[in-house]
Amino acid sequence: MAPLERAADEAWWNLATSGTDQAREEFVRAGKEYNGLFSDQNECRDLRNLYENLDTLESPLLQRQISVLYRAFAERQGDEEILGRIEELEAEANAVYGNHRSVVRDREIGENEVREILRTSADPVLRRETWEASKSVGRAVEGTVRELARLRNRLAREQGYENHYARSLELQEIEAQELARIMGRLESATDEPFRELKRGIDEELRLKFGVDAVMPWHLSGPFFHRAPDIVGIELDRYFEGEDLEDLTRRTFDALGLDVRGVISSSDLYEREGKSQHAFCARLGREYPYDVRVLANIRPDAYWMDAMLHEFGHAVYDRHVNPRLPYLLRTYAHANTTEAIALMMGALVDNPGWLRSVAGADQEKLDEDAEMLAAHRRASRLILTRSVLVMYHFEQALYADPDNEALSSVWWDLVERLLFVDRPPGRDEPDWAAVIHVAVAPVYYHNYILGELISAQLRNYLESHITQGPFYENEVAGRYLLESFFGPGARESWRDTVLRATGEPLNPEYFVKSLI
Ligand SMILES: [Zn+2]
């Protein structure tokens, strides 16, 4: 497994940093070879027998390895041709998103420039053209995404699941009913505060652009996903002319967590042909770990958040106990690694961090205190409502990938949950412009579970471990290392949360921060 996993991870990195056809072919080839490890039906059946009788195994480490390995097999069972086709289509979709440039007034522009225009331009016509151009990727991948959903569903149904969504949740050790309960709780807890927030935003935008109806292109981002979308919140000026690489290093130094090795093997600046997003990649699991970050840094708040977020993933990956069995040498769950990434990213508008690490002026911070608190609260509210949109949309997609009205399903949810009106007469597959729908299916809930865990963990750190801001304290770093990162995938995410915070997952820490 080790050499094939390393090769597949490397191929993914090479594809994301170069975008060439050759890299794509190698990515598909290496992916198939790696997935082939888990395709044997007899081995899968033997594993299922063990998995269903875990108590007969004495060692908890062995139990955990069996359940990790069984899920790796279960995920990849099915007709070989379909599995191969899914790999190809995912690679194809990845390439379309990676190479897509919005064409505005005969000029090709990248995602950073799209964001720049929507953040700063006062020209409503240019804003509309830019917003529409950024959505055009949706039409280019719509067919691929629908076909992916159909094929994923076929595999899931062969295994007796209702559809891919249901199967995915189960294989991720997420209980559908519990998730539905959490989502319901978050929807009702955010309904009023979010309505109020959006009302304020709309009022300002109406004044600013002299319009009666606020349209999506009046918001200051291609998706209504983040707090910089809010007029009057100018976090960027804290990062103008700053060296984000250096601020990232200093942030993790303060926790006693060294990221120099990761920085030196990372690919952090914009370049032709490279993926325009940000992610952290761990190449294989052999020690010393090879962990890298891809980013497209510009000196602004968006990229500061992204850097802290991705390096949050990176420190987790780097500090998993290398003496664990190979299969357990990774994070406990996508939601536990998102928890660390989100906890770190949220420092971007934290006055204490801005002062002690980013060196901001105390007087300026005092003046901005209200704005900074509003920014954090708005970020959480917007994230929560966006996750709700994706949560409901993906269920609709997998319930019926052929549904001709998916565009209106999407806009209905956006209107109901984000209070953003659809442009009159618009009938474009805007849902397909969200890259996750194609290449990271049934993943979005991990962001919100990550937020819940992050709020709970931070509360525990600051009330039990540091008695003050966790980010200024090496003891917090050591605690994270020993009780969160080190144990890796030795236990399930639930057990990790329980052991590291002294109680099971409790949404109320996060809910409290919203109200
Ligand atoms: Zn992340």
Side-chain angles (χ1 to χ4, degrees):
M1 185 173 165
L4 295 192
E5 184 169 42
R6 165 88 203 181
D9 292 345
E10 229 168 52
W12 159 241
W13 178 261
N14 291 338
L15 175 60
T17 51
S18 76
T20 63
D21 288 342
Q22 196 193 347
R24 188 158 85 231
E25 280 162 30
E26 173 56 16
F27 171 68
V28 172
R29 191 205 61 76
K32 278 185 183 165
E33 204 176 345
Y34 176 71
N35 288 327
L37 287 171
F38 311 96
S39 62
D40 188 281
Q41 290 179 21
N42 294 328
E43 285 176 351
C44 185
R45 203 184 42 234
D46 292 347
L47 276 165
R48 186 180 310 122
N49 284 337
L50 288 166
Y51 179 70
E52 282 164 0
N53 299 287
L54 277 183
D55 342 343
T56 59
L57 301 169
E58 238 169 79
S59 147
L61 273 187
L62 195 53
Q63 288 180 2
R64 194 68 198 148
Q65 286 176 87
I66 293 290
S67 77
V68 167
L69 195 54
Y70 166 65
R71 283 197 307 275
F73 270 83
E75 236 172 70
R76 296 172 177 86
Q77 290 303 294
D79 186 87
E80 223 171 282
E81 217 171 284
I82 298 182
L83 287 164
R85 188 74 192 121
I86 290 178
E87 295 267 335
E88 282 163 17
L89 289 171
E90 282 180 352
E92 218 175 280
N94 251 318
V96 176
Y97 290 110
N99 298 325
H100 179 264
R101 296 292 181 275
S102 304
V103 180
V104 179
R105 299 186 178 170
D106 296 327
R107 211 164 59 80
E108 287 195 350
I109 61 174
E111 285 179 30
N112 268 337
E113 210 177 328
V114 167
R115 270 195 295 271
E116 189 76 30
I117 291 172
L118 293 176
R119 200 164 50 199
T120 57
S121 171
D123 172 356
V125 182
L126 176 64
R127 299 183 69 90
R128 179 179 188 154
E129 287 173 17
T130 304
W131 181 84
E132 283 174 348
S134 77
K135 300 294 170 191
S136 62
V137 68
R139 186 145 300 280
V141 290
E142 178 192 7
T144 310
V145 181
R146 284 185 191 263
E147 180 62 7
L148 273 167
R150 271 180 223 118
L151 295 174
R152 287 172 184 146
N153 271 355
R154 255 170 77 183
L155 293 179
R157 286 180 182 140
E158 274 166 20
Q159 289 168 35
Y161 291 97
E162 192 184 328
N163 58 35
H164 178 73
Y165 198 93
R167 184 181 87 127
S168 244
L169 282 189
E170 186 172 314
L171 293 179
Q172 291 177 43
E173 296 183 290
I174 308 270
E175 282 170 28
Q177 281 188 346
E178 184 189 14
L179 187 62
R181 236 185 351 261
I182 291 174
M183 293 294 185
R185 170 80 182 110
L186 293 174
E187 184 174 341
S188 64
T190 54
D191 223 36
E192 264 324 298
F194 184 75
R195 191 181 303 275
E196 206 172 299
L197 174 74
K198 184 63 172 45
R199 198 183 294 135
I201 295 171
D202 286 352
E203 228 160 80
E204 287 192 48
L205 290 174
R206 261 184 235 115
L207 278 176
K208 187 176 169 195
F209 293 106
V211 291
D212 292 332
V214 172
M215 285 289 119
W217 51 84
H218 294 128
L219 297 162
S220 52
F223 301 101
F224 185 34
H225 270 182
R226 287 166 180 264
D229 289 335
I230 291 159
V231 189
I233 292 183
E234 285 170 42
L235 198 55
D236 285 338
R237 60 195 146 99
Y238 283 100
F239 303 103
E240 263 165 35
E242 291 290 333
D243 178 350
L244 268 46
E245 215 181 292
D246 183 50
L247 290 179
T248 304
R249 191 164 36 235
R250 294 218 301 262
T251 304
F252 287 92
D253 275 351
L255 285 162
L257 301 168
D258 184 16
V259 292
R260 283 166 184 74
V262 180
I263 289 179
S264 67
S265 47
S266 289
D267 187 326
L268 300 175
Y269 297 94
E270 282 176 87
R271 206 179 54 243
E272 195 63 36
K274 155 181 175 182
S275 157
Q276 302 181 72
H277 300 105
F279 63 81
C280 169
R282 182 210 52 193
L283 281 61
R285 312 185 200 182
E286 304 260 49
Y287 199 75
Y289 299 134
D290 184 350
V291 180
R292 308 174 185 183
V293 167
L294 180 142
N296 291 275
I297 299 180
R298 289 187 175 192
D300 58 26
Y302 175 89
W303 282 106
M304 187 73 254
D305 184 335
M307 283 288 281
L308 296 172
H309 181 107
E310 301 309 335
F311 278 84
H313 286 303
V315 285
Y316 197 154
D317 284 340
R318 264 200 92 222
H319 291 102
V320 168
N321 183 351
R323 280 184 302 209
L324 282 167
Y326 186 84
L327 284 170
L328 305 183
R329 241 179 267 161
T330 182
Y331 41 78
H333 195 279
N335 62 34
T336 60
T337 186
E338 287 306 341
I340 302 300
L342 290 161
M343 186 166 86
M344 297 310 296
L347 293 175
V348 73
D349 55 19
N350 184 298
W353 176 85
L354 283 165
R355 191 194 57 246
S356 71
V357 180
D361 183 56
Q362 185 61 52
E363 245 173 73
K364 199 166 132 197
L365 285 168
D366 290 341
E367 271 169 40
D368 285 351
E370 224 170 282
M371 177 277 271
L372 291 167
H375 185 267
R376 176 52 31 209
R377 189 167 160 270
S379 301
R380 291 193 174 124
L381 284 169
I382 295 169
L383 177 88
T384 305
R385 305 295 282 195
S386 305
V387 169
L388 287 166
V389 170
M390 283 288 279
Y391 169 70
H392 291 293
F393 178 78
E394 280 195 296
Q395 290 183 63
L397 171 66
Y398 287 101
D400 180 13
D402 296 306
N403 183 350
E404 280 180 16
L406 275 180
S407 299
S408 88
V409 170
W410 172 260
W411 277 106
D412 286 348
L413 288 166
V414 170
E415 289 183 337
R416 172 164 81 83
L417 293 160
L418 286 173
F419 308 137
V420 175
D421 292 338
R422 82 186 76 193
R426 186 161 178 88
D427 183 24
E428 291 293 315
D430 294 324
W431 53 272
V434 185
I435 187 170
H436 288 75
V437 177
V439 301
V442 198
Y443 186 84
Y444 241 67
H445 55 268
N446 287 316
Y447 291 122
I448 208 69
L449 293 175
E451 284 281 8
L452 305 188
I453 296 170
S454 157
Q456 185 170 332
L457 178 63
R458 182 164 176 181
N459 177 276
Y460 182 84
L461 284 172
E462 296 186 339
S463 60
H464 290 73
I465 308 293
T466 59
Q467 322 295 340
F470 80 97
Y471 51 85
E472 288 173 351
N473 202 318
E474 288 195 18
V475 181
R478 210 148 52 231
Y479 183 80
L480 289 174
L481 210 147
E482 282 169 14
S483 53
F484 222 79
F485 309 160
R490 202 179 73 187
E491 333 153 292
S492 71
W493 68 270
R494 286 169 207 285
D495 291 340
T496 302
V497 170
L498 174 62
R499 196 180 30 71
T501 70
E503 65 178 315
L505 181 67
N506 176 355
E508 296 312 308
Y509 294 104
F510 179 70
V511 169
K512 231 184 290 168
S513 73
L514 298 171
I515 299 163

